[in-house]
Amino acid sequence: MDNRKLLEIKNLVTEFRSEDDVVKAVNNISFTLNKGETIGVVGESGSGKSVTALSVMRLIPNPPGKITGGEIIFQSPSLGEIDLVGATENQMRSVRGNEIAMIFQEPMTSLNPVFTCGDQVMEALLLHQKLSKQEAKEKTIQLFKEVQLPRPEKIFDTYPHQISGGQKQRVMIAMAMSCNPSILVADEPTTALDVTVQKTILELMLQLQQTHNMGIMFITHDLGVIAELADKVIVMYKGKIVEQGPVLDIFTNPQHPYTKGLLACRPTLGKRLKWLPTVSDFLKENEDGSMQEINKSVDDVLSNLVVTANETAEKHNKLYKQEPLIKVENLKTYFPINKGMFGKAKEYVKAVDDVTFDVYPGETLGLVGESGCGKTTLGRTILKLVEPSSGQIFYKGRNITGLTPKEMREYRKDMQIIFQDPYSSLNPRITIGDAIMEPMQVHKILKNDKERKHKVIELLERVNMNESHFYRYPHEFSGGQRQRICIARSLAVNPQFIICDESVSALDVSVQAQVLNLLNELKQEFGFTYIFISHDLSVVKFMSDRMIVMNHGKIEEMGKSDEIYANPNTEYTKKLIGAIPKGELDDIKASIERKKIYRNRTANA
Amino acid sequence: MTIFFLRRAFYGLLVLAGVITVVFLLFNVLPGDPARMMLGQRADQASIDAINRDLGLDKPLSAQYIMYINDLMPLSLHEMQNENHYLYLDPAKYDYIKLFNISKSKVMVLKYPYLRRSYQSKRKVSEIIIETLPETAVLAFASIILAAFLGIIGGIITAIYKNTWVDHLSLFLASLGMSGPSFYIGVIISWVFGYMLSEYTGLNAIGSLYTIDDYGDGEYLDLKNLILPAVALGIRPLAVVIQLMRNSLLEVLSSDYIRTANAKGLRFRTVIFKHALKNALNPVVTALSGMFASLLAGALFVEIIFSWKGVGWELYNALVKYDLPVVMGGVLITSTAFVVINVLVDISYAILDPRVRIR
């Protein structure tokens, strides 16, 4: 038997039962994880990748979930070879956190808010390693050092809400690493983090893996991340593994159309594309639910879509000859913190700090920066959803900073915003139709509700939904559909200017591509002007003509997107661009080389 | 933390000031002549004037208000010489320590808040309250302890056995308990356990914390009288707490950090009692404290049914007899209790949940 084998999953089936339905979230999958190996599991939400991870931990919420078939053979250091599917709860407890550890997607909510970080890490040590309290504390601080947390002694005594998201995820990693597990299951550990933080976390995980010779199961929807980290890639689609193989093979020669689609729909940084290819360019779902492949290679599809530099230049010439639609001058938005005894502010957070720029009609202005840089506040201040502290905003030459809410209302019609989270920005108790109709009623667009309903159906069809959705409620729709509903709602009042605030960040890559394409189509059709806010530089670059890089409330850099990407002027922009996992072949090869060097070094040591 | 505490205390004082003003104005617009009520129908004008002067009722409203506040303040300013002055330091009214003289006739004193005298018994309202408040406090405290203890345990059990017969049964009982008003449940409990079954239970249908002994020459503490009223008063909070605890715990149990705790390999017990309970208790503590405050005020019906000599009983009697100073004092005391308890709750929050401490 191969003694490098750590975990072998054979024909695993996990089902979720509801009253009238059984969903096979994981449907007959098999793969093997070896010592010191990283398996990347890729797929969209609902593809069963998280359920696979939770099945291995036997943490499937039961009811409604249940493992109904297959084996999970784990080479346990303490229990020997064991099938985790049949293991007792006692055995599982000695495995969990000790031999198989897990890191979760949401560092913000994955730590218990009422215990200090140190306590929570120590708990696992005290449980599995039988250390004394003092020893456990020392070990915890040692672990904090290992995951490169600043001031480890201090972090030991802080509560989770007092540290940043990246730091929380480091605490989670320290917790997972505390008992030297043989397997680390990481479920989208960096999805909620900024790219620069993501980069450091990924490097840290790689480093820890090499020193401890762990097997890592890394779950993500981002192929770029996989490229940097994984040795082997598993592509999951609707509960099944559609393709698995070494990382280089998957990237150079994807076989399954779904994999091709995933590879193609990421906004690439090097080229400017007309629109993004989607999975449907490669894989068609027939009426009866069967899949039909369209045999095209990724490169073929992409090469048809490239926009030349001349075309871009011509478009820009036209754009920037016009009068600006919006002028923002010395805009400042401060939030009071640290209120004194009588609620008078002593200090301020300078969310937007002296920002000046113009937006031209018909352009898309990208706004990019890390979380907390003030990009969202800037967007909301322009719409006066947040009152500016000082500065001026001109819309079509009129200063709107001093307007009363009543005067502002007529401008609200012209200026719309599409929010980040399509799940929480629709009222769950209002039907889709009513939700879209409401702004039309407020602004008295069209004569009566009958005409409005007509228009709503038109809009729904425009965003690729249909009439039957009019009376449905938000919970019946997927994230991508909801975001399209939100877009339809913004369109209902015939706006001229739309702010997209992280509008695609919560969506899967392939859905993201569809929504981005839709936004661009609508822009062409109705001549919108966009401000496109995102933390994802590759998305911003794909969407925008010009972009603004923001940092600490100030404009770090502003210019044509392609130029900024090609020649970033400031350190910050360079760092931001450098941190994006690009998933280019050269990067994959480089990371494979790097791993080899690591491996040799640890083998020799 | 200190600033947090000070700010809460300051807000509490502001609310109290508002309450005092409202109570004062409210009872000033009510009809009725205190002097007539004290002296009866056939009083002569001279005695009525004397009483009006004594109560300050011949002064304008603003002066009465200042007088009222000055009476309530532990630190207050008084007139020494002029007996007719509305701030005259009357030894019959106040129980004070002289601090220092401000001018020849003005003096600063430290005193117990003066809540006037009962129109009926002529006793100081503060004395009446000091006598009755402990009885109400003991009753309310006993019911809230009952509700908290059984409620939290019951909530945990029903959460663990979610969707089984245990859960359904407790849900049924809880809605039963919630829908029964205390004056109805109180009567039933008193009748069944204090009268019909009193041979077996050994309990009385009515009774107070202290009972006058058979020879009539003393009082003794009769704790068994506490049982029935405490149960009658506690059933509603108990029903609420069970439901609240169950839902709150279930919500916490489905959160990400509980999954993390499970992924650490912790025991079920540890996950529930260490990781989940502390988080789940927050809404329960709010509800309990709010209930405690309202029980202090709202034990009225139960006190009447069981003849429990508490503030509610006294307030009821005062209302019947239109004894305004007692009613004002009672209202003031219960609202003060409300405010104080809420400040304490805010502080207990900060201890339970470190995230609250930021603001």
Side-chain angles (χ1 to χ4, degrees), chain A residues 473-540:
Chain A
Y473 286 90
H475 69 92
E476 297 173 59
F477 297 97
S478 69
Q481 286 174 316
R482 284 185 209 202
Q483 200 57 292
R484 276 184 278 172
I485 293 164
C486 289
I487 292 173
R489 181 172 58 179
S490 318
L491 296 186
V493 293
N494 303 323
Q496 301 198 342
F497 168 63
I498 299 178
I499 293 185
C500 306
D501 186 0
E502 300 270 14
S503 304
V504 294
S505 307
L507 306 175
D508 281 317
V509 259
S510 58
V511 183
Q512 169 182 309
Q514 291 167 12
V515 174
L516 291 178
N517 286 343
L518 175 66
L519 285 172
N520 273 340
E521 277 169 36
L522 293 172
K523 180 180 162 180
Q524 297 247 311
E525 196 175 322
F526 298 102
F528 293 143
T529 308
Y530 288 136
I531 287 188
F532 192 89
I533 302 173
S534 176
H535 68 282
D536 190 340
L537 206 138
S538 49
V539 172
V540 171

Side-chain angles (χ1 to χ4, degrees), chain A residues 188-208:
Chain A
E188 307 247 13
T190 57
T191 308
L193 304 173
D194 281 325
V195 271
T196 47
V197 183
Q198 163 170 297
K199 194 179 183 199
T200 55
I201 296 271
L202 292 181
E203 273 168 12
L204 173 71
M205 287 181 67
L206 206 63
Q207 211 178 327
L208 290 171

Side-chain angles (χ1 to χ4, degrees), chain A residues 366-385:
Chain A
L367 206 55
V368 71
E370 293 180 287
S371 55
C373 74
K375 53 189 192 303
T376 292
T377 311
L378 176 57
R380 292 185 182 184
T381 313
I382 293 173
L383 293 187
K384 294 231 316 177
L385 297 173

Side-chain angles (χ1 to χ4, degrees), chain A residues 414-425:
Chain A
D414 278 8
M415 305 159 93
Q416 285 290 312
I417 186 163
I418 302 167
F419 292 104
Q420 170 167 19
D421 194 347
Y423 294 92
S424 56
S425 51

Side-chain angles (χ1 to χ4, degrees), chain A residues 8-19:
Chain A
E8 196 180 5
I9 293 179
K10 289 182 196 160
N11 308 85
L12 181 72
V13 182
T14 305
E15 294 179 347
F16 281 82
R17 269 166 205 282
S18 60
E19 265 170 31

